[in-house]
Amino acid sequence: MATVSRMEIVVGEDGRTRCWWGASTPEYSEYHDTEWGFGVTDDHRLFEKICLEGFQSGLSWLTILRKRENFRNAFRGFDPGVVARFDDSDVERLLGDAGIIRHRGKITSTINKAARALETTEQHGSLAAYFYQWFEPADRVPIEIAATTTASVSLAKDLKGRGWSFVGPTTAYAFMQAMGLVNDHLRDCWVRSTAEQSRRSAADVVL
C-alpha cells in the first residue's frame, strides 16, 4: 500500500467513493473500509501487523490478507510471549504449513520480533506507547503517497537499533498507514473522516 503509481478516487458498486485500491477486490474493500488507517492500541494487533508487513516483503498485501487467519493460527494469535518461546521444532512446523508464507528468514525474523517486542514493552509499558511516538497529529490530506517518509525512516532505524529485522522504511511506512499513525485516505474517500476520528481516539488513549 505504500508505493503507488496513481492516486484517484473510485466509485464502488455500492456507490461509495474509495481510495483507488479499496475497490479492486472484495477483500480490499472490507479491509479499506474497516481497518486501514484506523487507530489501533491493542499490542497483539500491532505486533501481528509489523510481522505480517515483514512477510509481505516482495509480495502483495492481498496475498497476506487472504492468508491472515492461517498466520494467526500458525503463530498462536501473535502473542509475543508465546511466539518468543518458539524453537526449532516450531520453525520446521511453520515451514511445513502451506497456509502461510514458508520463508525461513521471515519465520525466524518473526520469532526474533517477539523477543524484541517483549523488551520494547518492558521499556515503554506497551507496544502502543512505543509506536505512537510516530503518530502524526496533523490531519493532512495526502497529495501524493511516497514509499517512505522521514518518520518511517526514523521508525525503521530505531527498530533496527533494537534488533528487529525485516523492518525497513517502506515496511515501517506501510505499518504506519495501516495502524492509523498517519491518515492516507484520500480527501473524498468515504472512510477518511471515520478513520481520522478513530486514530485520534486511539492517540488520546495512548498519549
Side-chain angles (χ1 to χ4, degrees):
M1 241 57 93
T3 305
V4 305
S5 57
R6 59 191 173 91
M7 288 177 54
E8 59 187 42
I9 286 291
V10 297
V11 180
E13 294 182 358
D14 57 4
R16 286 174 164 166
T17 54
R18 293 180 173 87
C19 304
W20 77 100
W21 60 270
S24 58
T25 70
E27 295 96 333
Y28 266 167
S29 292
E30 176 70 15
Y31 179 67
H32 169 276
D33 291 359
T34 63
E35 292 188 56
W36 194 74
F38 286 64
V40 175
T41 60
D42 179 80
D43 278 8
H44 285 187
R45 283 193 60 199
L46 291 165
F47 177 66
E48 172 188 282
K49 184 60 174 167
I50 199 73
C51 291
L52 291 182
E53 288 292 352
F55 274 103
Q56 183 194 345
S57 180
L59 303 169
S60 73
W61 174 244
L62 186 60
T63 298
I64 304 301
L65 190 59
R66 287 172 170 168
K67 294 176 178 286
R68 185 164 61 170
E69 287 304 320
N70 296 332
F71 273 106
R72 287 170 173 169
N73 290 331
F75 283 94
R76 308 297 188 252
F78 285 98
D79 181 334
V82 174
V83 178
R85 295 194 296 271
F86 279 11
D87 57 20
D88 290 344
S89 66
D90 289 294
V91 173
E92 294 307 312
R93 169 180 61 83
L94 293 164
L95 286 170
D97 189 339
I100 66 170
I101 304 301
R102 293 180 287 182
H103 184 291
R104 183 180 293 273
K106 293 178 180 180
I107 289 169
T108 56
S109 172
T110 299
I111 298 170
N112 171 68
K113 282 187 177 80
R116 304 291 76 77
L118 293 176
E119 293 171 354
T120 302
T121 299
E122 184 175 354
Q123 293 168 2
H124 291 269
S126 68
L127 287 182
Y130 170 73
F131 284 120
Y132 271 76
Q133 295 177 94
W134 284 270
F135 177 83
E136 181 177 289
D139 181 14
R140 62 162 180 78
V141 178
I143 299 174
E144 61 180 10
I145 302 177
T148 66
T149 64
T150 300
S152 77
V153 170
S154 173
L155 173 56
K157 181 179 180 180
D158 194 80
L159 286 168
K160 288 182 178 180
R162 295 171 180 274
W164 297 60
S165 54
F166 279 93
V167 286
T170 300
T171 294
Y173 192 55
F175 171 83
M176 292 172 68
Q177 290 175 302
M179 298 288 96
L181 298 179
V182 298
N183 185 358
D184 274 345
H185 285 281
L186 301 181
R187 181 186 299 277
D188 295 322
C189 174
W190 83 276
V191 178
R192 179 174 174 80
S193 62
T194 304
E196 184 63 26
Q197 292 170 10
S198 171
R199 74 187 206 93
R200 288 187 178 278
S201 293
D204 286 343
V205 171
V206 177
L207 298 177

